[in-house]
PDB file of all heavy atoms in Angstrom:
ATOM      1  N   LYS R  82     -25.088  21.876  48.946  1.00 73.00           N
ATOM      2  CA  LYS R  82     -25.875  20.768  48.420  1.00 73.00           C
ATOM      3  C   LYS R  82     -26.027  20.829  46.906  1.00 73.00           C
ATOM      4  O   LYS R  82     -26.344  19.828  46.272  1.00 73.00           O
ATOM      5  CB  LYS R  82     -27.256  20.749  49.082  1.00 73.00           C
ATOM      6  CG  LYS R  82     -27.225  20.333  50.543  1.00 73.00           C
ATOM      7  CD  LYS R  82     -28.630  20.215  51.111  1.00 73.00           C
ATOM      8  CE  LYS R  82     -28.609  19.771  52.564  1.00 73.00           C
ATOM      9  NZ  LYS R  82     -29.958  19.614  53.118  1.00 73.00           N
ATOM     10  N   ASN R  83     -25.825  22.012  46.322  1.00 70.00           N
ATOM     11  CA  ASN R  83     -25.990  22.114  44.870  1.00 70.00           C
ATOM     12  C   ASN R  83     -24.958  21.292  44.121  1.00 70.00           C
ATOM     13  O   ASN R  83     -25.072  21.079  42.916  1.00 70.00           O
ATOM     14  CB  ASN R  83     -25.945  23.572  44.413  1.00 70.00           C
ATOM     15  CG  ASN R  83     -24.550  24.188  44.492  1.00 70.00           C
ATOM     16  OD1 ASN R  83     -23.668  23.649  45.160  1.00 70.00           O
ATOM     17  ND2 ASN R  83     -24.360  25.305  43.834  1.00 70.00           N
ATOM     18  N   LYS R  84     -23.925  20.797  44.808  1.00 73.00           N
ATOM     19  CA  LYS R  84     -22.956  19.925  44.148  1.00 73.00           C
ATOM     20  C   LYS R  84     -23.650  18.738  43.479  1.00 73.00           C
ATOM     21  O   LYS R  84     -23.259  18.304  42.402  1.00 73.00           O
ATOM     22  CB  LYS R  84     -21.953  19.374  45.160  1.00 73.00           C
ATOM     23  CG  LYS R  84     -20.804  20.303  45.503  1.00 73.00           C
ATOM     24  CD  LYS R  84     -19.809  19.566  46.384  1.00 73.00           C
ATOM     25  CE  LYS R  84     -18.618  20.436  46.726  1.00 73.00           C
ATOM     26  NZ  LYS R  84     -17.630  19.721  47.532  1.00 73.00           N
ATOM     27  N   LEU R  85     -24.651  18.190  44.150  1.00 79.00           N
ATOM     28  CA  LEU R  85     -25.296  16.994  43.625  1.00 79.00           C
ATOM     29  C   LEU R  85     -26.098  17.278  42.361  1.00 79.00           C
ATOM     30  O   LEU R  85     -26.328  16.389  41.561  1.00 79.00           O
ATOM     31  CB  LEU R  85     -26.219  16.384  44.676  1.00 79.00           C
ATOM     32  CG  LEU R  85     -25.535  15.687  45.845  1.00 79.00           C
ATOM     33  CD1 LEU R  85     -26.571  15.127  46.799  1.00 79.00           C
ATOM     34  CD2 LEU R  85     -24.627  14.580  45.359  1.00 79.00           C
ATOM     35  N   GLU R  86     -26.516  18.517  42.179  1.00 84.00           N
ATOM     36  CA  GLU R  86     -27.337  18.847  41.017  1.00 84.00           C
ATOM     37  C   GLU R  86     -26.588  19.630  39.944  1.00 84.00           C
ATOM     38  O   GLU R  86     -26.811  19.429  38.756  1.00 84.00           O
ATOM     39  CB  GLU R  86     -28.560  19.683  41.457  1.00 84.00           C
ATOM     40  CG  GLU R  86     -29.585  18.912  42.261  1.00 84.00           C
ATOM     41  CD  GLU R  86     -29.208  18.794  43.726  1.00 84.00           C
ATOM     42  OE1 GLU R  86     -28.556  19.700  44.261  1.00 84.00           O
ATOM     43  OE2 GLU R  86     -29.566  17.769  44.340  1.00 84.00           O
ATOM     44  N   LYS R  87     -25.660  20.498  40.352  1.00 84.00           N
ATOM     45  CA  LYS R  87     -25.101  21.457  39.402  1.00 84.00           C
ATOM     46  C   LYS R  87     -23.772  21.040  38.800  1.00 84.00           C
ATOM     47  O   LYS R  87     -23.346  21.603  37.798  1.00 84.00           O
ATOM     48  CB  LYS R  87     -24.965  22.829  40.074  1.00 84.00           C
ATOM     49  CG  LYS R  87     -26.296  23.362  40.589  1.00 84.00           C
ATOM     50  CD  LYS R  87     -26.250  24.829  40.936  1.00 84.00           C
ATOM     51  CE  LYS R  87     -26.302  25.679  39.688  1.00 84.00           C
ATOM     52  NZ  LYS R  87     -26.438  27.113  40.007  1.00 84.00           N
ATOM     53  N   GLY R  88     -23.092  20.045  39.391  1.00 89.00           N
ATOM     54  CA  GLY R  88     -21.918  19.510  38.745  1.00 89.00           C
ATOM     55  C   GLY R  88     -22.327  18.699  37.524  1.00 89.00           C
ATOM     56  O   GLY R  88     -23.508  18.378  37.323  1.00 89.00           O
ATOM     57  N   PHE R  89     -21.373  18.323  36.681  1.00 93.00           N
ATOM     58  CA  PHE R  89     -21.741  17.610  35.454  1.00 93.00           C
ATOM     59  C   PHE R  89     -22.358  16.256  35.751  1.00 93.00           C
ATOM     60  O   PHE R  89     -23.202  15.770  34.988  1.00 93.00           O
ATOM     61  CB  PHE R  89     -20.538  17.484  34.513  1.00 93.00           C
ATOM     62  CG  PHE R  89     -19.535  16.416  34.850  1.00 93.00           C
ATOM     63  CD1 PHE R  89     -19.713  15.096  34.448  1.00 93.00           C
ATOM     64  CD2 PHE R  89     -18.375  16.742  35.554  1.00 93.00           C
ATOM     65  CE1 PHE R  89     -18.781  14.126  34.752  1.00 93.00           C
ATOM     66  CE2 PHE R  89     -17.434  15.766  35.853  1.00 93.00           C
ATOM     67  CZ  PHE R  89     -17.639  14.459  35.457  1.00 93.00           C
ATOM     68  N   VAL R  90     -21.996  15.638  36.889  1.00 94.00           N
ATOM     69  CA  VAL R  90     -22.592  14.344  37.231  1.00 94.00           C
ATOM     70  C   VAL R  90     -24.074  14.517  37.546  1.00 94.00           C
ATOM     71  O   VAL R  90     -24.921  13.753  37.073  1.00 94.00           O
ATOM     72  CB  VAL R  90     -21.851  13.697  38.403  1.00 94.00           C
ATOM     73  CG1 VAL R  90     -22.448  12.322  38.721  1.00 94.00           C
ATOM     74  CG2 VAL R  90     -20.374  13.557  38.093  1.00 94.00           C
ATOM     75  N   GLY R  91     -24.405  15.520  38.358  1.00 93.00           N
ATOM     76  CA  GLY R  91     -25.803  15.772  38.688  1.00 93.00           C
ATOM     77  C   GLY R  91     -26.619  16.165  37.475  1.00 93.00           C
ATOM     78  O   GLY R  91     -27.775  15.750  37.323  1.00 93.00           O
ATOM     79  N   ARG R  92     -26.031  16.956  36.586  1.00 93.00           N
ATOM     80  CA  ARG R  92     -26.742  17.355  35.365  1.00 93.00           C
ATOM     81  C   ARG R  92     -26.947  16.163  34.440  1.00 93.00           C
ATOM     82  O   ARG R  92     -27.990  16.036  33.788  1.00 93.00           O
ATOM     83  CB  ARG R  92     -25.975  18.461  34.666  1.00 93.00           C
ATOM     84  CG  ARG R  92     -25.940  19.776  35.445  1.00 93.00           C
ATOM     85  CD  ARG R  92     -24.950  20.763  34.830  1.00 93.00           C
ATOM     86  NE  ARG R  92     -24.716  21.909  35.688  1.00 93.00           N
ATOM     87  CZ  ARG R  92     -25.256  23.124  35.504  1.00 93.00           C
ATOM     88  NH1 ARG R  92     -26.071  23.335  34.508  1.00 93.00           N
ATOM     89  NH2 ARG R  92     -24.971  24.110  36.333  1.00 93.00           N
ATOM     90  N   LEU R  93     -25.956  15.277  34.372  1.00 96.00           N
ATOM     91  CA  LEU R  93     -26.111  14.058  33.590  1.00 96.00           C
ATOM     92  C   LEU R  93     -27.208  13.189  34.193  1.00 96.00           C
ATOM     93  O   LEU R  93     -28.046  12.630  33.478  1.00 96.00           O
ATOM     94  CB  LEU R  93     -24.784  13.298  33.562  1.00 96.00           C
ATOM     95  CG  LEU R  93     -24.783  11.938  32.848  1.00 96.00           C
ATOM     96  CD1 LEU R  93     -25.119  12.094  31.369  1.00 96.00           C
ATOM     97  CD2 LEU R  93     -23.428  11.246  33.020  1.00 96.00           C
ATOM     98  N   ARG R  94     -27.226  13.076  35.515  1.00 95.00           N
ATOM     99  CA  ARG R  94     -28.270  12.307  36.198  1.00 95.00           C
ATOM    100  C   ARG R  94     -29.655  12.862  35.864  1.00 95.00           C
ATOM    101  O   ARG R  94     -30.586  12.099  35.567  1.00 95.00           O
ATOM    102  CB  ARG R  94     -28.039  12.339  37.702  1.00 95.00           C
ATOM    103  CG  ARG R  94     -29.068  11.565  38.501  1.00 95.00           C
ATOM    104  CD  ARG R  94     -28.929  11.826  39.990  1.00 95.00           C
ATOM    105  NE  ARG R  94     -27.673  11.322  40.501  1.00 95.00           N
ATOM    106  CZ  ARG R  94     -26.823  12.019  41.241  1.00 95.00           C
ATOM    107  NH1 ARG R  94     -27.081  13.284  41.522  1.00 95.00           N
ATOM    108  NH2 ARG R  94     -25.717  11.468  41.695  1.00 95.00           N
TER     109      ARG R  94
END
Side-chain angles (χ1 to χ4, degrees):
K82 289 185 179 182
N83 72 344
K84 278 187 178 182
L85 287 180
E86 290 82 31
K87 301 194 77 172
F89 78 84
V90 182
R92 293 169 191 258
L93 177 62
R94 180 190 295 130

